[in-house]
Amino acid sequence: MTAINYAWSALGGDPARLARLTTVLREGALPARLPVRQLARACVGACALAAAELAARRAGLGEVPGVRVDDGAVAAAFQSERLLRVDGREPALFAPLSRFWRTADGWVRTHANYPHHRARLLGALDLPHDAPVEKVAGRLAALSALEAEDAVRGAGGLAVALRTPAQWQAQEQAAEVARRPLVERERLDAARTRVLPPLDPATAPLLPAAGLRVLDLTRVLAGPVATRTLALLGADVLRVDAPWLPELPDQHADTGLGKRSATLDLAAGRETFEDLLSTADVVVTGYRPGALDRFGLSPRELVARRPGLIVAQVSAWGAFGPWGGRRGFDSVVQAATGIAVTEGSAGEPGALPAQALDHGTGYLLAAAVLRALTEQSYEGGSRLVRLALARTAHWLTTGIGPDPAEGVPYPGPEAWLTRTDGPPGRLRHAVPAVSFTGGPTAWARPPGPWGSDPARWL
């Protein structure tokens, strides 16, 4: 089974729809030892096909619009945060303390881009807030990789020991991940069939998510990629963050295209949140499993208050197993699951050419929402869809075969970059990779400043 067939099947899609998809293969895009290009193409292709399917349903078309997936556009989209420029300035992707470190017996990967994660890392090592990199390196070098992982995790920070593929497979979490489907899909109740307002097939562009309200409770990077895609397709996407957890500006400029951004204390502003929920169509969450439950935001509690809702969740390790409650990001998952060893050389850990677990999972999450909307229009029912970076990693490392054919040479990303003026400045950014006949080719609005919009629907 090809990668796109597998992804589409995991989403519950009709295999006959795959005949509507064509691909442009480009040799040299997203080069890696692992089949990153095939994974990226499959995730974007499945998302575009789900968008075209919903567009056909709403516009009353007799045939699903044709979908075209170009490796060049896909590669640029998967490297969007690296290719972004703000007034010509290259963004800072990783903070100085987000990196691999040598330990007494190997390596550990830390993530400390956010101030609170940096503080927890330094606290775990008993270092002051202004400790230089050399001090951190010295403390970690005195610990084993597993000791460092446990110490930082115990302090609420992010660190993981570098593992080989075999070492990861020996973990109970790896077995739990392997047992789960790529996309977990569940019908939660018997809510009535969703009536989607029809779209005029003559309208250009054709926006399959027009009129839908998406409450975006996500952070870095898979969740924001999913909601950025839904915004492209016409949804009113409102991202809501806690006032004390600001997003990194460059990251917000990359993933905030098409969206609005508000801040809200879920405890003090509960009435406002419930007002938003009362007319929301989709809630997307990207926090670690259980983190939002104390606010009454578990999937079943949400649909009890808003029947017919689609709840979409993404996490690092999955909402199951001994690692289910752990924090994680793409780089950390790459280190834990053996990917960094596979992509490394000369005894040094490596990395994929993009944060492909984040981006791939993000496009699959958006696709799962779109497919759930289509299914609801026939069958009704509130829906839960869940994905995990570790499960996407399992697919990448064990389940994707070679490319079906050779492609043309990849000329580099420039042909798939564009410029947009907005509040952050003059942006150079990747064009949308999700493409179907008659569909959108650009976001309707540039990213605004983080937290600058009111917490209400348009």
Side-chain angles (χ1 to χ4, degrees):
M1 181 183 291
T2 65
I4 180 61
N5 289 54
Y6 180 78
W8 187 242
S9 175
L11 291 162
D14 179 353
R17 301 271 196 248
L18 291 165
R20 302 299 298 155
L21 186 145
T22 60
T23 57
V24 180
L25 278 61
R26 297 186 185 272
E27 297 291 338
L30 299 175
R33 295 189 177 97
L34 290 166
V36 175
R37 181 161 52 113
Q38 294 94 306
L39 176 140
R41 183 192 307 133
C43 294
V44 171
C47 186
L49 194 55
E53 177 187 51
L54 182 59
R57 172 68 171 159
R58 295 188 63 181
L61 303 178
E63 188 174 47
V64 170
V67 170
R68 185 175 185 269
V69 183
D70 190 314
D71 281 352
V74 171
F78 266 58
Q79 294 181 320
S80 63
E81 72 279 4
R82 304 182 185 194
L83 296 171
L84 177 75
R85 298 293 182 269
V86 182
D87 290 332
R89 177 181 55 80
E90 186 173 346
L93 297 178
F94 289 103
L97 301 189
S98 295
R99 47 170 279 193
F100 281 104
W101 308 83
R102 285 192 179 274
T103 63
D105 61 350
W107 297 84
V108 68
R109 181 64 162 88
T110 59
H111 193 288
N113 282 6
Y114 289 101
H116 57 292
H117 291 150
R118 183 181 188 277
R120 291 167 186 173
L121 170 63
L122 294 173
L125 301 176
D126 197 25
L127 290 171
H129 69 92
D130 57 351
V133 169
E134 294 77 17
K135 285 287 189 181
V136 177
R139 292 292 170 88
L140 290 171
L143 301 173
S144 72
L146 288 177
E147 287 173 338
E149 177 183 291
D150 289 341
V152 177
R153 182 171 63 86
L158 287 117
V160 69
L162 180 71
R163 290 171 171 83
T164 66
Q167 288 171 331
W168 170 246
Q169 292 302 319
Q171 297 287 319
E172 182 182 344
Q173 188 67 24
E176 289 280 355
V177 166
R179 281 193 285 266
R180 306 289 173 138
L182 178 63
V183 182
E184 295 184 82
R185 303 160 57 242
E186 184 179 353
R187 182 171 174 168
L188 298 179
D189 61 21
R192 67 178 184 271
T193 301
R194 178 184 289 275
V195 178
L196 292 167
L199 298 178
D200 181 353
T203 299
L206 199 59
L207 299 173
L212 297 170
R213 291 172 168 176
V214 177
L215 195 52
D216 179 0
L217 308 178
T218 71
R219 295 173 71 81
V220 216
L221 182 62
V225 166
T227 52
R228 181 181 66 186
T229 303
L230 295 173
L232 169 73
L233 299 170
D236 178 11
V237 178
L238 180 65
R239 174 167 164 169
V240 175
D241 288 284
W244 55 87
L245 289 177
E247 184 57 278
L248 303 174
D250 291 340
Q251 197 158 261
H252 181 70
D254 175 49
T255 61
L257 287 157
K259 308 182 199 177
R260 295 180 299 121
S261 170
T263 60
L264 184 66
D265 182 333
L266 289 180
R270 189 51 181 262
E271 183 177 347
T272 299
F273 179 84
E274 294 300 324
D275 285 344
L276 292 170
L277 178 63
S278 68
T279 56
D281 299 290
V282 181
V283 173
V284 187
T285 70
Y287 292 81
R288 61 192 174 94
L292 297 177
D293 290 6
R294 69 183 186 276
F295 297 106
L297 304 185
S298 70
R300 293 193 180 277
E301 289 176 295
L302 288 169
V303 302
R305 304 199 299 277
R306 176 61 170 157
L309 189 70
I310 294 170
V311 181
Q313 296 184 321
V314 62
S315 63
W317 311 105
F320 46 78
W323 289 36
R326 293 192 182 190
R327 297 172 174 85
F329 294 106
D330 183 303
S331 58
V332 174
V333 176
Q334 287 190 42
T337 59
I339 291 173
V341 170
T342 299
E343 295 294 333
S345 60
E348 300 272 343
L352 299 175
Q355 295 197 69
L357 306 181
D358 264 334
H359 285 274
T361 305
Y363 283 107
L364 287 176
L365 189 67
V369 169
L370 295 166
R371 288 244 59 253
L373 288 163
T374 298
E375 290 177 344
Q376 282 185 328
S377 73
Y378 292 100
E379 306 167 357
S382 302
R383 306 292 173 125
L384 170 63
V385 296
R386 287 196 296 207
L387 288 98
L389 304 188
R391 183 59 182 83
T392 304
H394 176 74
W395 180 36
L396 175 64
T397 55
T398 65
I400 299 180
D403 261 338
E406 292 185 1
V408 298
Y410 175 55
E414 187 59 42
W416 296 278
L417 300 177
T418 189
R419 276 73 178 170
T420 298
D421 290 322
R426 177 78 164 169
L427 301 182
R428 186 194 79 173
H429 61 91
V431 302
V434 171
S435 175
F436 62 91
T437 302
T441 58
W443 285 273
R445 57 183 292 155
W450 177 84
S452 62
D453 293 292
R456 62 172 181 264
W457 298 114
L458 292 175

